[in-house]
Amino acid sequence: MQVAIAGNIGAGKTTLTRLLAKHYKWDAHYEDVVDNPYLDDFYHSMDCWSFNLQIYFLNSRFRPGFSNEIKRKKYHSRSNYL
């Protein structure tokens, strides 16, 4: 079983993921925000950088090994959907 959390930035997806994973003893998967080259720019100019940020997140889901990694996880936090 996989559970996906979707919502806007700042809606509390990571907090909800952490709480549910702890309660049900599930492994959680979070999208990369540390190495994201667009996140800081997005917060400073959302109109200008929102497309780049969405494409970055979409591309990160297709990186080699991502689907195998997700299959091993029971809980998955997504920061966005296109």
Side-chain angles (χ1 to χ4, degrees):
M1 175 178 70
Q2 292 182 359
V3 176
I5 304 296
N8 294 334
I9 290 178
K13 296 174 301 299
T14 300
T15 301
L16 179 60
T17 300
R18 190 179 313 113
L19 291 170
L20 290 173
K22 181 179 177 182
H23 178 78
Y24 290 107
K25 297 178 178 44
W26 291 343
D27 292 326
H29 174 80
Y30 303 94
E31 286 188 320
D32 181 22
V33 293
V34 174
D35 296 323
N36 187 322
Y38 300 105
L39 203 55
D40 287 336
D41 291 329
F42 172 78
Y43 280 115
H44 288 99
S45 180
M46 291 182 184
D47 290 343
C48 183
W49 292 99
S50 59
F51 179 76
N52 298 59
L53 182 66
Q54 293 288 330
I55 295 301
Y56 175 85
F57 281 129
L58 177 64
N59 186 45
S60 70
R61 293 182 190 126
F62 292 105
R63 75 178 189 270
F66 182 78
S67 61
N68 290 333
E69 181 180 326
I70 293 304
K71 289 176 185 174
R72 291 191 308 267
K73 304 291 183 182
K74 291 187 169 56
Y75 201 81
H76 180 71
S77 170
R78 299 235 177 182
S79 62
N80 54 20
Y81 281 95
L82 296 176

